Amino acid sequence: GTIGVSGVDAAAQGMATQVGIRSRDWTSDFAEMDSDAALIEVSNHSYGYVTGWAVYSASDFGFSTSTGSVDVWYDDRYLYSSEDPDFGKYGSADRDLDQVLFDNADLLSVWSAGNDRNDSYGNVSGDGKYVAYFSGDPGSIGWSGTGWYLVPNSGATLAPGGDGNSGTGYDSIGGKHTAKNSLVVGAVGDISDDPYTSGQIWTASFSGYGPTDDGRIKPDVVGNGYDLYSTDSGSDADYRSLSGTSMSAPNVSGTAVLLIEHFEDEFGFAPRSASTKGLMIHTATDAGNTGPDYAYGWGLVNAMNGATFVTDAALNLTGGSYFSEHTYSGSEWTVALDADGSQPLKATVAWTDPAGTAHGAGVDLTTPVLVNDLDLWVTGPG
C-alpha cells in the first residue's frame, strides 16, 4: 500500500499510484528476485531475521511463565554472552543477495534496516528469567542437550546487554541487511513542512544503526517510518497507522520507482541500480552529523532534489548537474570540471560489487568484504 496504493482513502495514497506490483512472501526470496528481475525495477523487503532480543509467548518455546510472555535471546548463549554476533556481520545471506544483484545489475533491492536498536532484556516473564539457545552446558540449568532453555538472569546465565552494543545503539543491523549492493533504509518521523530543514529530521528510537562489522555505512538512507498511515489487511478499504523500518522501506521503494521513471523519460534509457542508488544518496537531505553517519546514512531521501538533478543532468546545463554511467575496469578515471565556489561541490560514486567472502563465526569480524574498493578524490590547484 505504501509503495503504490491508488487511495481508497485519499489521505493514504501510495508513493507511485500507478505502479505494477508483483507480490510474494519472503520464502525463496532470492530465487524469486532472480526470476522476476527482468519484470521489475525495484524489489521491496520489509523483513529480516530475528536478531538479539525479542519478546514471544513462552508457550512457543514449550515454557510457561506468570505473564505468558518471555524475553528471548536469539543466538547461542553458550558461545556468546555479550551480543548477538549477527549484528553487522556480512553473512552467507548477504553474500547470496549480493550475487543475485550482481547478476541482475538493473534491479534496485530495498531493505528495511530493522527495529532492534532499542531491544533489551525487560523481565516480561515477571520472574527474572529469559529463554535462550544453548549448544553446551553452562551449569545449573539442567542441560540435557542442545536446545532452548528458560534460564535465570544471574550467574553463568546473566542476560546479555541490550541490542546496539548494550545501549549505544550502534551495530544494531542484522542479517540480510548488510549486503553491499542493496539500499538499506532506516526510519525517521514524518515531516510535513515544505521546505524543511535538516534539524527537523529525527531518527526513530527503534531504527537500526550501523556500521557493518567491516566499517561500511548502513543504513544507506532514511525515510518516513513513524506512525505512518497506510493500508492494512482486514479488507480492501482497511487502513491503520504503524511504525517501523518496514514502513520506511516501501516509502523509499515507491519513491525510487518515480525517480527511475523520470530518469527514463529524461535520458531515454533505464538506469542501472547503482545509478539509482547513487542518485538517492547524492540528493538526500543530510541529517545528524554533517556528512554520512551510521544513524541516518547519507540522509533523508529527497524526491524533489532527485528529480531536479535528473532534469538538470539530462539538459547538461553549464555549471549544473552531471551524470555518467559506465561499465568500468582499469586504472584511474578522471573527470575535469569547473566550480566557481558559489554552490557546494558534491560528488558521489556508486557501483555494483561482486559478492564478497562471508564472515564466519565470531563477534565484530572486521575483514573487508568489498571486492572493488573504489576511492573518489577531488583535487585542484592549491
Side-chain angles (χ1 to χ4, degrees):
T2 302
I3 293 171
V5 70
S6 61
V8 172
D9 183 339
Q13 286 190 337
M15 305 304 292
T17 55
Q18 298 185 49
V19 72
I21 294 177
R22 294 175 64 82
S23 181
R24 299 182 182 268
D25 62 23
W26 51 70
T27 306
S28 304
D29 50 357
F30 294 168
E32 290 164 352
M33 290 170 65
D34 195 40
S35 65
D36 285 359
L39 305 173
I40 61 176
E41 293 177 312
V42 176
S43 65
N44 180 79
H45 308 266
S46 291
Y47 57 89
Y49 296 125
V50 178
T51 311
W53 286 106
V55 175
Y56 282 92
S57 169
S59 61
D60 291 344
F61 295 85
F63 301 107
S64 175
T65 66
S66 59
T67 64
S69 299
V70 68
D71 294 290
V72 180
W73 198 70
Y74 249 82
D75 212 283
D76 189 340
R77 176 60 181 78
Y78 180 73
L79 296 178
Y80 305 107
S81 60
S82 59
E83 65 175 272
D84 191 323
D86 291 330
F87 283 124
K89 178 176 290 186
Y90 185 79
S92 59
D94 305 287
R95 175 202 61 205
D96 293 347
L97 175 57
D98 274 337
Q99 186 62 57
V100 170
L101 298 178
F102 185 79
D103 292 340
N104 300 281
D106 293 340
L107 176 63
L108 179 69
S109 187
V110 180
W111 291 74
S112 59
N115 308 323
D116 286 306
R117 191 173 98 244
N118 60 352
D119 289 347
S120 63
Y121 172 74
N123 191 26
V124 298
S125 65
D127 55 7
K129 295 181 179 180
Y130 68 98
V131 169
Y133 184 87
F134 286 83
S135 64
D137 186 6
S140 305
I141 67 169
W143 193 77
S144 59
T146 57
W148 296 93
Y149 289 83
L150 182 66
V151 298
N153 175 26
S154 61
T157 57
L158 185 70
D163 298 341
N165 279 337
S166 299
T168 69
Y170 294 95
D171 191 22
S172 56
I173 295 180
K176 282 193 176 182
H177 304 264
T178 64
K180 300 175 289 183
N181 298 327
S182 58
L183 185 74
V184 175
V185 182
V188 296
D190 190 19
I191 301 172
S192 57
D193 289 349
D194 185 18
Y196 61 90
T197 65
S198 295
Q200 293 173 271
I201 307 171
W202 52 272
T203 185
S205 62
F206 50 78
S207 184
Y209 283 0
T212 63
D213 287 348
D214 63 327
R216 290 173 293 115
I217 290 174
K218 294 290 178 181
D220 298 296
V221 292
V222 293
N224 179 15
Y226 184 83
D227 198 25
L228 187 142
Y229 187 60
S230 186
T231 50
D232 202 14
S233 59
S235 71
D236 287 346
D238 189 20
Y239 291 79
R240 68 184 295 197
S241 294
L242 289 171
S243 297
T245 57
S246 290
M247 283 77 238
S248 58
N251 179 321
V252 169
S253 292
T255 302
V257 171
L258 297 178
L259 289 173
I260 290 169
E261 181 180 40
H262 183 54
F263 185 101
E264 292 171 341
D265 289 343
E266 294 295 307
F267 281 93
F269 63 92
R272 293 291 182 96
S273 63
S275 297
T276 307
K277 181 178 179 178
L279 170 65
M280 299 180 85
I281 284 172
H282 186 79
T283 59
T285 301
D286 188 31
N289 297 329
T290 301
D293 58 51
Y294 298 134
Y296 298 88
W298 276 270
L300 176 63
V301 169
N302 189 319
M304 183 181 73
N305 283 355
T308 301
F309 177 93
V310 168
T311 301
D312 290 349
L315 291 174
N316 199 24
L317 298 176
T318 302
S321 303
Y322 172 80
F323 166 81
S324 185
E325 181 179 88
H326 297 272
T327 299
Y328 171 74
S329 177
S331 57
E332 184 178 279
W333 174 41
T334 301
V335 176
L337 53 87
D338 294 319
D340 64 8
S342 63
Q343 298 291 326
L345 172 62
K346 185 176 183 180
T348 300
V349 60
W351 68 98
T352 299
D353 205 45
T357 301
H359 288 155
V363 176
D364 295 337
L365 303 177
T366 59
T367 303
V369 300
L370 285 175
V371 176
N372 299 317
D373 188 358
L374 307 187
D375 294 312
L376 187 151
W377 294 78
V378 178
T379 62

